mmCIF file of all heavy atoms in Angstrom:
data_model
loop_
_atom_site.group_PDB
_atom_site.id
_atom_site.type_symbol
_atom_site.label_atom_id
_atom_site.label_comp_id
_atom_site.label_asym_id
_atom_site.label_seq_id
_atom_site.Cartn_x
_atom_site.Cartn_y
_atom_site.Cartn_z
ATOM 1 N N ALA X 227 69.466 68.860 109.427
ATOM 2 C CA ALA X 227 69.301 69.216 107.973
ATOM 3 C C ALA X 227 69.706 70.724 107.812
ATOM 4 O O ALA X 227 70.385 71.069 106.935
ATOM 5 C CB ALA X 227 67.857 69.015 107.553
ATOM 6 N N GLY X 228 69.224 71.525 108.794
ATOM 7 C CA GLY X 228 69.581 72.950 108.758
ATOM 8 C C GLY X 228 71.058 73.174 108.931
ATOM 9 O O GLY X 228 71.699 73.973 108.223
ATOM 10 N N PHE X 229 71.642 72.434 109.845
ATOM 11 C CA PHE X 229 73.084 72.501 110.050
ATOM 12 C C PHE X 229 73.870 72.168 108.781
ATOM 13 O O PHE X 229 74.779 72.802 108.377
ATOM 14 C CB PHE X 229 73.564 71.722 111.229
ATOM 15 C CG PHE X 229 75.028 71.737 111.466
ATOM 16 C CD1 PHE X 229 75.602 72.753 112.144
ATOM 17 C CD2 PHE X 229 75.868 70.720 110.903
ATOM 18 C CE1 PHE X 229 76.999 72.808 112.315
ATOM 19 C CE2 PHE X 229 77.230 70.773 111.105
ATOM 20 C CZ PHE X 229 77.821 71.807 111.784
ATOM 21 N N GLY X 230 73.495 71.053 108.198
ATOM 22 C CA GLY X 230 74.242 70.610 107.000
ATOM 23 C C GLY X 230 74.175 71.582 105.862
ATOM 24 O O GLY X 230 75.181 71.854 105.215
ATOM 25 N N LEU X 231 72.980 72.125 105.690
ATOM 26 C CA LEU X 231 72.841 73.134 104.577
ATOM 27 C C LEU X 231 73.565 74.441 104.869
ATOM 28 O O LEU X 231 74.275 74.949 103.988
ATOM 29 C CB LEU X 231 71.354 73.406 104.321
ATOM 30 C CG LEU X 231 70.471 72.229 103.790
ATOM 31 C CD1 LEU X 231 69.052 72.590 103.801
ATOM 32 C CD2 LEU X 231 71.007 71.923 102.303
ATOM 33 N N ILE X 232 73.427 74.976 106.084
ATOM 34 C CA ILE X 232 74.043 76.226 106.451
ATOM 35 C C ILE X 232 75.554 76.114 106.541
ATOM 36 O O ILE X 232 76.307 76.914 105.962
ATOM 37 C CB ILE X 232 73.451 76.725 107.742
ATOM 38 C CG1 ILE X 232 71.941 77.045 107.587
ATOM 39 C CG2 ILE X 232 74.138 78.056 108.184
ATOM 40 C CD1 ILE X 232 71.235 77.230 108.860
ATOM 41 N N PHE X 233 76.053 75.106 107.234
ATOM 42 C CA PHE X 233 77.415 74.884 107.367
ATOM 43 C C PHE X 233 78.083 74.600 106.009
ATOM 44 O O PHE X 233 79.184 75.089 105.776
ATOM 45 C CB PHE X 233 77.729 73.782 108.317
ATOM 46 C CG PHE X 233 79.160 73.594 108.692
ATOM 47 C CD1 PHE X 233 79.868 74.620 109.306
ATOM 48 C CD2 PHE X 233 79.875 72.407 108.398
ATOM 49 C CE1 PHE X 233 81.219 74.406 109.587
ATOM 50 C CE2 PHE X 233 81.125 72.274 108.733
ATOM 51 C CZ PHE X 233 81.933 73.233 109.279
ATOM 52 N N GLY X 234 77.411 73.858 105.152
ATOM 53 C CA GLY X 234 77.936 73.613 103.874
ATOM 54 C C GLY X 234 78.104 74.872 103.011
ATOM 55 O O GLY X 234 79.100 75.084 102.348
ATOM 56 N N TYR X 235 77.116 75.730 103.114
ATOM 57 C CA TYR X 235 77.211 77.006 102.357
ATOM 58 C C TYR X 235 78.335 77.880 102.936
ATOM 59 O O TYR X 235 79.108 78.517 102.161
ATOM 60 C CB TYR X 235 75.851 77.749 102.565
ATOM 61 C CG TYR X 235 75.901 79.230 102.101
ATOM 62 C CD1 TYR X 235 75.872 79.555 100.758
ATOM 63 C CD2 TYR X 235 75.945 80.299 103.012
ATOM 64 C CE1 TYR X 235 75.878 80.861 100.331
ATOM 65 C CE2 TYR X 235 76.005 81.593 102.589
ATOM 66 C CZ TYR X 235 76.005 81.872 101.261
ATOM 67 O OH TYR X 235 76.035 83.168 100.817
ATOM 68 N N LEU X 236 78.427 77.966 104.254
ATOM 69 C CA LEU X 236 79.506 78.848 104.827
ATOM 70 C C LEU X 236 80.898 78.231 104.548
ATOM 71 O O LEU X 236 81.859 79.041 104.207
ATOM 72 C CB LEU X 236 79.309 78.861 106.345
ATOM 73 C CG LEU X 236 78.018 79.626 106.836
ATOM 74 C CD1 LEU X 236 77.987 79.508 108.330
ATOM 75 C CD2 LEU X 236 78.049 81.050 106.405
ATOM 76 N N THR X 237 81.018 76.953 104.554
ATOM 77 C CA THR X 237 82.370 76.336 104.322
ATOM 78 C C THR X 237 82.709 76.454 102.861
ATOM 79 O O THR X 237 83.913 76.641 102.491
ATOM 80 C CB THR X 237 82.468 74.907 104.736
ATOM 81 O OG1 THR X 237 81.414 74.194 104.155
ATOM 82 C CG2 THR X 237 82.399 74.784 106.278
ATOM 83 N N GLU X 238 81.721 76.353 101.959
ATOM 84 C CA GLU X 238 82.061 76.508 100.533
ATOM 85 C C GLU X 238 82.553 77.938 100.248
ATOM 86 O O GLU X 238 83.480 78.102 99.448
ATOM 87 C CB GLU X 238 80.825 76.168 99.694
ATOM 88 C CG GLU X 238 81.070 76.158 98.242
ATOM 89 C CD GLU X 238 79.872 75.696 97.412
ATOM 90 O OE1 GLU X 238 78.853 76.402 97.467
ATOM 91 O OE2 GLU X 238 80.027 74.672 96.735
ATOM 92 N N ARG X 239 81.887 78.906 100.832
ATOM 93 C CA ARG X 239 82.361 80.264 100.648
ATOM 94 C C ARG X 239 83.726 80.447 101.169
ATOM 95 O O ARG X 239 84.597 81.226 100.586
ATOM 96 C CB ARG X 239 81.393 81.312 101.410
ATOM 97 C CG ARG X 239 80.113 81.478 100.676
ATOM 98 C CD ARG X 239 79.221 82.438 101.539
ATOM 99 N NE ARG X 239 79.798 83.689 101.703
ATOM 100 C CZ ARG X 239 79.767 84.757 100.780
ATOM 101 N NH1 ARG X 239 79.119 84.567 99.713
ATOM 102 N NH2 ARG X 239 80.392 85.876 101.133
ATOM 103 N N LEU X 240 84.112 79.783 102.272
ATOM 104 C CA LEU X 240 85.476 79.888 102.847
ATOM 105 C C LEU X 240 86.491 79.213 101.989
ATOM 106 O O LEU X 240 87.559 79.751 101.696
ATOM 107 C CB LEU X 240 85.425 79.261 104.335
ATOM 108 C CG LEU X 240 86.827 79.207 104.932
ATOM 109 C CD1 LEU X 240 87.402 80.577 105.244
ATOM 110 C CD2 LEU X 240 86.719 78.362 106.176
ATOM 111 N N LEU X 241 86.193 77.980 101.541
ATOM 112 C CA LEU X 241 87.197 77.118 100.940
ATOM 113 C C LEU X 241 87.205 77.269 99.421
ATOM 114 O O LEU X 241 88.260 76.960 98.810
ATOM 115 C CB LEU X 241 86.845 75.611 101.242
ATOM 116 C CG LEU X 241 86.875 75.303 102.744
ATOM 117 C CD1 LEU X 241 86.491 73.862 102.939
ATOM 118 C CD2 LEU X 241 88.181 75.627 103.416
ATOM 119 N N VAL X 242 86.166 77.660 98.823
ATOM 120 C CA VAL X 242 86.037 77.758 97.354
ATOM 121 C C VAL X 242 85.991 79.147 96.829
ATOM 122 O O VAL X 242 86.698 79.544 95.884
ATOM 123 C CB VAL X 242 84.927 76.902 96.795
ATOM 124 C CG1 VAL X 242 84.838 77.015 95.261
ATOM 125 C CG2 VAL X 242 85.033 75.404 97.254
ATOM 126 N N SER X 243 85.146 79.988 97.471
ATOM 127 C CA SER X 243 84.907 81.324 96.978
ATOM 128 C C SER X 243 85.978 82.297 97.468
ATOM 129 O O SER X 243 85.995 83.489 97.009
ATOM 130 C CB SER X 243 83.537 81.809 97.389
ATOM 131 O OG SER X 243 82.548 80.921 96.918
ATOM 132 N N GLY X 244 86.858 81.885 98.402
ATOM 133 C CA GLY X 244 87.866 82.813 98.869
ATOM 134 C C GLY X 244 89.103 82.800 98.020
ATOM 135 O O GLY X 244 89.073 82.550 96.817
ATOM 136 N N ASN X 245 90.254 83.123 98.661
ATOM 137 C CA ASN X 245 91.521 83.098 97.969
ATOM 138 C C ASN X 245 91.815 81.697 97.383
ATOM 139 O O ASN X 245 91.722 80.675 98.118
ATOM 140 C CB ASN X 245 92.631 83.545 98.886
ATOM 141 C CG ASN X 245 94.061 83.508 98.249
ATOM 142 O OD1 ASN X 245 94.679 82.500 98.183
ATOM 143 N ND2 ASN X 245 94.395 84.667 97.730
ATOM 144 N N GLY X 246 92.064 81.651 96.067
ATOM 145 C CA GLY X 246 92.258 80.286 95.412
ATOM 146 C C GLY X 246 93.306 79.471 96.020
ATOM 147 O O GLY X 246 93.160 78.268 96.315
ATOM 148 N N ALA X 247 94.460 79.986 96.227
ATOM 149 C CA ALA X 247 95.646 79.120 96.781
ATOM 150 C C ALA X 247 95.263 78.744 98.226
ATOM 151 O O ALA X 247 95.550 77.605 98.558
ATOM 152 C CB ALA X 247 96.911 80.045 96.817
ATOM 153 N N TYR X 248 94.727 79.654 98.974
ATOM 154 C CA TYR X 248 94.323 79.237 100.347
ATOM 155 C C TYR X 248 93.309 78.160 100.381
ATOM 156 O O TYR X 248 93.378 77.170 101.066
ATOM 157 C CB TYR X 248 93.814 80.482 101.120
ATOM 158 C CG TYR X 248 93.229 80.172 102.438
ATOM 159 C CD1 TYR X 248 94.043 79.896 103.527
ATOM 160 C CD2 TYR X 248 91.846 80.141 102.606
ATOM 161 C CE1 TYR X 248 93.490 79.646 104.799
ATOM 162 C CE2 TYR X 248 91.325 79.819 103.871
ATOM 163 C CZ TYR X 248 92.117 79.664 104.921
ATOM 164 O OH TYR X 248 91.574 79.313 106.139
ATOM 165 N N ALA X 249 92.284 78.282 99.483
ATOM 166 C CA ALA X 249 91.231 77.240 99.333
ATOM 167 C C ALA X 249 91.756 75.871 98.953
ATOM 168 O O ALA X 249 91.426 74.882 99.546
ATOM 169 C CB ALA X 249 90.135 77.728 98.402
#
Side-chain angles (χ1 to χ4, degrees):
F229 177 81
L231 292 172
I232 296 165
F233 186 61
Y235 169 76
L236 294 176
T237 54
E238 186 174 63
R239 285 178 60 86
L240 172 68
L241 302 177
V242 177
S243 302
N245 179 275
Y248 172 76

